[in-house]
Amino acid sequence: MAVTVPVTRPLAVRVTAAFGVSEKELLGPSRLRSVMRPRQVAMFLARELTKLSLPRLGAAFGRDHTTVLHACRKVAQELEGDAALAKQVSDLRGVLV
């Protein structure tokens, strides 16, 4: 398993609960849409709330820093057109802050 940055653990726990995936799936290699979206949201929130560098976040999620950057951009774009996702992310942000 990847080295996890302690700050991302509470975030991962909240995201897994909100999306109904396990922490193992969130940090694992699965490319299923049902796992990728929660992972991307977790990366987006981790970037926004922790201000850790992309390489540190990548290490926390067992990914490359470019994957984190892609996830952040993708979620930001999806938030504009998906009200349900925007509410879910806002609720998660509220719980984590």
Side-chain angles (χ1 to χ4, degrees), residues 1-54:
M1 183 178 260
V3 177
T4 47
V5 176
V7 182
T8 61
R9 176 109 170 94
L11 185 140
V13 169
R14 295 290 186 168
V15 170
T16 57
F19 284 91
V21 297
S22 71
E23 192 172 342
K24 185 177 179 178
E25 288 175 313
L26 189 76
L27 299 174
S30 177
R31 297 177 100 189
L32 294 173
R33 184 178 299 238
S34 62
V35 177
M36 278 182 33
R37 187 176 227 190
R39 184 183 302 132
Q40 289 173 338
V41 168
M43 289 178 189
F44 174 82
L45 287 171
R47 175 75 171 152
E48 183 179 88
L49 300 175
T50 66
K51 304 300 183 201
L52 292 174
S53 68
L54 292 172

Side-chain angles (χ1 to χ4, degrees), residues 55-84:
R56 293 271 323 257
L57 287 172
F61 286 95
R63 303 287 187 285
D64 187 72
H65 73 280
T66 58
T67 303
V68 178
L69 182 60
H70 172 75
C72 293
R73 288 176 176 168
K74 184 167 177 67
V75 171
Q77 182 182 15
E78 288 179 357
L79 289 176
E80 295 175 11
D82 188 340

